[in-house]
Amino acid sequence: MKVLVPVKSVAQIDGEPLLDGAAEVSPDLLEWRLNEWDEFALEAALRLVEGDGGEVVVVTVGQEEAEEGLLACLAKGADRAVRIWDPALAGADPLAVAGLLARLATEEQPDLILGGVQSSDSGNAATAVALAGLLDLPRVAVVAGIELDGDQLTVERELDGGAIEVLRLRTPALLTVQTGINEPRYATLRAIKQAKAKPLATLGPAELGTDAAAALALAGSRTVALAMPERGEGATMIDGPPSAIAGRIAEIVTAEVGS
Amino acid sequence: MTARGVLVFGIVDDGQLRPATAELIGAGKALADDGAGPLTVALLGAVTDAHGEAVDRAGVEEILLVSSPEPSFEAHVAEAALAALIESRRPSVVLAGHTVDSLGFAPALAARAGLGFATDVSGIGWGEDGASARRGAYAERLTAELDFPGRETVLLLLREGAFEPATAAGSAPVSRLDLDLAGAARTELVERRTPPAGDVDITTADFLLSIGRGVEDEEQVAKLEEIAAKIGATLSVSRPLVDAGWVPSDRQVGQSGRTVAPKVYLALGISGAVQHLAGISAAKTIIAVNSDPDAPIFAAAHYGAVADLFEVATELQQQLG
Ligand SMILES: Cc1cc2nc3c(=O)[nH]c(=O)nc-3n(C[C@H](O)[C@H](O)[C@H](O)COP(=O)(O)OP(=O)(O)OC[C@H]3O[C@@H](n4cnc5c(N)ncnc54)[C@H](O)[C@@H]3O)c2cc1C
C-alpha cells in the first residue's frame, strides 16, 4: 500500500506589506510553516500504513523554505519526500500545482492520495481535488473519518452543521482530510535527527517531462494585484487598559442583554 | 471578449435547494447587466417544477432542470452534469457556491476542462477582458484581484453571504434537460447522520462568550467556562477547540458547527475565518478581543479591542460577575 500526501508550506505575513499594486508580497516578510490540514492528512496516511504496511511519500511544490516542512513529515514517519520546484513557479495557482503533482503521481502510482481540505494561507480548497480530476480518480472532499478494507474505502464526508455522510468507494482514490479527524503525533527528538538521513529528492519540471512555462499554462487564474482589504465600516475600537475595555464591554452587555 | 452568457449551477439535495442559490442569481444578473450575456440557471438533483419556480427571478432568461440518477448530491455526477452543460452551452462565466459539495467536483472539472477558476470569491466583475474576481489572500490579511486570460469559460465558486440575493420575480421559461448521467457516480451512499443533540443549546443563548485557539491550552478552557457562568454567558468555541477534544462539538460555532443568533457574541482569541463567521451573521452585536490588530474578525465585529483575552476576561468577571 502506497499513500501519497501532497503538502504545502504556508506563508504567514510578518509585518506590514508595502503593496502599491504589486501582485506579490516581498519574501522577506513571509514566515513558513506546514499547513495545518496537511498535518491531519499525513497522520491519517501514517496510521493506514502502520496498520497494513506500505509506504508514505510526501510531496510539495515549493521553494527551499518548504524543505523544513518535508523534514517535519519525515520525522513523523513519512518514508520519502519529494520537492518539485523552479523559481518561475512562485505564485503558481492550484491548477498549475495540481498539474505538476499529477506528473509525479503518474510515476509513483499510489493506492491512495490524502491531501488537506485547504491551505490556511490561500484557502483555495482546490489543489487536491484538481489533482483527482487530472488523474481521473474517484475522490471525496472534506473527510472526517477513513476506514480501509482491502481496496474498499468507507469514509465520512463532513456536511454543513456537523452532519456526516458515509460513503463507499474503491482505491485508487483521493481524499481531502479535515482537521480533527485524528490527533497528529509529535516527532521525537531522535526522529527529527534521523529524518535528515531519509530520502528527500528535489525535482525540476524537466525531470517530470515538462517545463515551468507549460506547467504555468494550466493555471486557472492570474493574480493581477494584491491590496489591503476594504474593512467596510469595521469595528468601533475600544482603547485603553484591560479594565477600561472590560468596562465598556460590560456596558454593552448590560444594555443589550440586560442583567 | 465575446459574451456568451452566464450559467448559474444550483444543486437540489434531499429535496432542498440551497438558499444561497438566490445570491448566485443576484451575482449572475449583475454580470449579465454588465454585458456578460444572457443568464441561465441550471438545477441538478431530484428537481421538481417548484424548484424551477423558486429560481425564477427577474433577469433569468432560461431555467434548465437536470434530473440526477442519485437521490442526493454525488460529486462525480455533479461534475459530469456541469461538464456537459459547459460543453453544450459554452458560457463565459459559470457561478456555483463555495460549499463543501462544490469542493468535491469543481476543482476536478476546472483542471480537466481547462477552465478559468477561482474559489471563495467575494467580488466579481465583467469588462473588456472578460471576467475578473476578488478573493482573500494570506489568511484574509490581503485581497487578491484575479483575471483569467485566454479562458473561454471561467468557473467561480462564490462565498455565501457576499452577494445580494435576487429577489424580484421573473418569467423565464423552464425546461427539462436530459443528460446521460447513468454510471457517473463513483461513490456509494451508505447513510447520512445528523449530529447528536448535546446538553447545551448555544443556538438559543442571548449572551455567548466564545473562545478560540488564542486560549492555547486546555486548562484555560475550564477557567473561561467558569468566568462565562459568573457573568451570565454561555460558553461557545471555534472549531480547533473541538478538534483538540477539549470541548464537545455542540459548543462549536460556524459552518460545520451551529449557527447562533445571540444578542451579544463576545469572541475572545478567534481570528475570524470565513467558516467561523458563517455561524454568527445573525448575532446582533459582535464584540471581538484579539491580540492581533490585523485579525480579520475586526472586519466582521461591531466592537473590537486589541488586547490579551485573559486580562480582559478576568476584568470582566470582576465587573459583571
Ligand atoms: C470545511 C470547513 C469547515 C469549517 N468549519 C468551521 C466551524 O464551523 N467553526 C470554526 O470555528 N472553524 C471552522 N473551520 C476552520 C476555520 O477555517 C479556522 O481554522 C478556525 O475557525 C480557526 O479558529 P480560531 O480563530 O480559534 O484559531 P486561529 O485562526 O488560530 O486564531 C486564533 C486567534 O487568537 C488570537 N490570540 C492568540 N493569543 C491571544 C491572546 N492571548 N489574547 C487575544 N487573542 C489571542 C490570535 O491573534 C488569532 O487571531 C472550518 C474549516 C473548513 C475547511
Side-chain angles (χ1 to χ4, degrees):
Chain A
M1 157 101 180
K2 187 196 272 192
V3 187
L4 183 68
V5 182
V7 299
K8 178 182 180 187
S9 285
V10 292
Q12 249 178 319
I13 299 181
D14 182 27
E16 277 305 309
L18 284 172
L19 292 166
D20 260 347
E24 283 172 64
V25 173
S26 157
D28 303 342
L29 287 177
L30 298 179
E31 275 184 8
W32 299 91
R33 54 161 297 187
L34 195 66
N35 177 38
E36 184 185 352
W37 275 266
D38 302 345
E39 309 251 15
F40 292 90
L42 174 66
E43 181 64 35
L46 293 173
R47 290 184 188 192
L48 286 173
V49 166
E50 277 161 6
D52 291 356
E55 191 188 22
V56 173
V57 181
V58 288
V59 54
T60 196
V61 176
Q63 65 289 72
E64 216 178 321
E65 284 85 347
E67 284 204 357
E68 220 171 291
L70 292 179
L71 282 170
C73 296
L74 292 171
K76 288 184 178 196
D79 298 284
R80 284 192 288 127
V82 180
R83 180 168 73 89
I84 301 168
W85 192 239
D86 182 291
L89 295 174
D93 92 322
L95 300 193
V97 170
L100 289 160
L101 294 174
R103 287 174 177 271
L104 183 83
T106 303
E107 279 180 22
E108 292 279 349
Q109 292 291 319
D111 302 290
L112 186 61
I113 303 180
L114 296 181
V117 168
Q118 64 172 25
S119 59
S120 57
D121 56 353
S122 46
N124 286 301
T127 308
V129 173
L131 173 61
L134 294 173
L135 298 171
D136 196 23
L137 287 177
R139 94 298 302 207
V140 180
V142 197
V143 166
I146 305 172
E147 268 175 56
L148 180 66
D149 183 5
D151 70 347
Q152 169 94 57
L153 277 165
T154 306
V155 303
E156 294 183 0
R157 179 169 85 96
E158 190 179 282
L159 310 178
D160 287 348
I164 288 288
E165 179 176 87
V166 181
L167 296 170
R168 286 216 183 96
L169 69 164
R170 295 201 179 275
T171 61
L174 180 146
L175 309 175
T176 76
V177 174
Q178 177 63 308
T179 57
I181 186 175
N182 51 39
E183 207 178 305
R185 70 195 65 190
Y186 290 97
T188 62
L189 273 175
R190 193 160 145 237
I192 291 171
K193 277 191 200 140
Q194 285 169 346
K196 297 204 176 84
K198 288 188 175 177
L200 194 167
T202 306
L203 303 180
E207 283 147 298
L208 293 168
T210 183
D211 58 59
L216 289 169
L218 298 175
S221 69
R222 177 175 73 173
T223 301
V224 183
L226 293 173
M228 299 300 280
E230 284 169 38
R231 287 292 190 210
E233 285 159 34
T236 304
M237 297 309 282
I238 308 167
D239 298 318
S243 57
I245 293 168
R248 182 74 187 102
I249 293 174
E251 278 171 25
I252 297 164
V253 171
T254 308
E256 295 282 338
V257 188
S259 59
Chain B
M1 201 76 188
T2 43
R4 291 176 318 276
V6 180
L7 175 72
V8 164
F9 187 60
I11 285 164
V12 173
D13 180 46
D14 254 1
Q16 300 291 317
L17 182 69
R18 219 177 153 84
T21 310
E23 294 168 24
L24 301 177
I25 297 169
K29 180 172 186 302
L31 288 180
D33 290 346
D34 284 345
L39 173 61
T40 302
V41 178
L43 299 181
L44 171 71
V47 280
T48 63
D49 293 344
H51 296 125
E53 278 162 34
V55 296
D56 192 3
R57 305 287 160 87
V60 178
E61 308 249 336
E62 186 184 10
I63 296 166
L64 301 170
L65 304 181
V66 182
S67 289
S68 168
E70 300 297 316
S72 59
F73 170 83
E74 204 281 341
H76 307 79
V77 171
E79 182 185 345
L82 185 52
L85 282 163
I86 290 174
E87 179 131 328
S88 64
R89 310 219 147 215
R90 309 207 162 278
S92 297
V93 183
V94 179
L95 302 177
H98 184 76
T99 63
V100 287
D101 287 348
S102 294
L103 298 186
F105 71 90
L109 174 62
R112 248 209 274 237
L115 308 180
F117 184 56
T119 62
D120 197 15
V121 167
S122 55
I124 53 174
W126 178 266
E128 264 170 30
D129 300 326
S132 59
R134 186 180 335 115
R135 73 186 309 284
Y138 295 96
E140 305 282 325
R141 293 237 359 227
L142 304 178
T143 57
E145 298 291 337
L146 307 177
D147 69 2
F148 310 91
R151 298 297 176 192
E152 198 183 323
T153 298
V154 177
L155 169 57
L156 301 174
L157 303 187
L158 304 190
R159 173 178 287 195
E160 295 196 338
F163 296 87
E164 282 300 317
T167 49
S171 56
V174 182
S175 56
R176 296 234 165 213
L177 182 69
D178 267 327
L179 296 176
D180 182 16
L181 301 171
R186 294 175 82 180
T187 64
E188 182 200 330
L189 178 65
V190 180
E191 61 166 334
R192 277 193 180 175
R193 292 200 298 259
T194 45
D199 49 1
V200 263
D201 185 2
I202 60 171
T203 65
T204 54
D206 272 346
F207 179 18
L208 286 172
L209 186 149
S210 204
I211 57 176
R213 185 145 49 190
V215 301
E216 274 173 18
D217 71 80
E218 192 172 0
E219 279 159 39
Q220 301 296 341
V221 175
K223 274 192 209 160
L224 286 157
E225 185 163 17
E226 223 171 274
I227 293 179
K230 284 197 183 132
I231 66 175
T234 303
L235 187 83
S236 61
V237 302
S238 69
R239 177 165 180 140
L241 277 64
V242 176
D243 285 343
W246 296 350
V247 180
S249 62
D250 55 350
R251 301 268 185 166
Q252 180 187 320
V253 173
Q255 179 187 320
S256 55
R258 304 286 196 265
T259 301
V260 296
K263 289 180 179 153
V264 174
Y265 188 77
L266 175 56
L268 306 181
I270 294 176
S271 63
V274 54
Q275 298 91 354
H276 187 83
L277 300 180
I280 59 172
S281 56
K284 188 158 171 263
T285 301
I286 300 169
I287 310 172
V289 177
N290 196 303
S291 48
D292 174 6
D294 296 316
I297 188 124
F298 290 129
H302 304 97
Y303 297 92
V306 179
D308 179 78
L309 74 93
F310 301 107
E311 291 179 12
V312 172
T314 310
E315 284 288 340
L316 207 53
Q317 177 182 2
Q318 280 164 18
Q319 299 191 28
L320 265 182

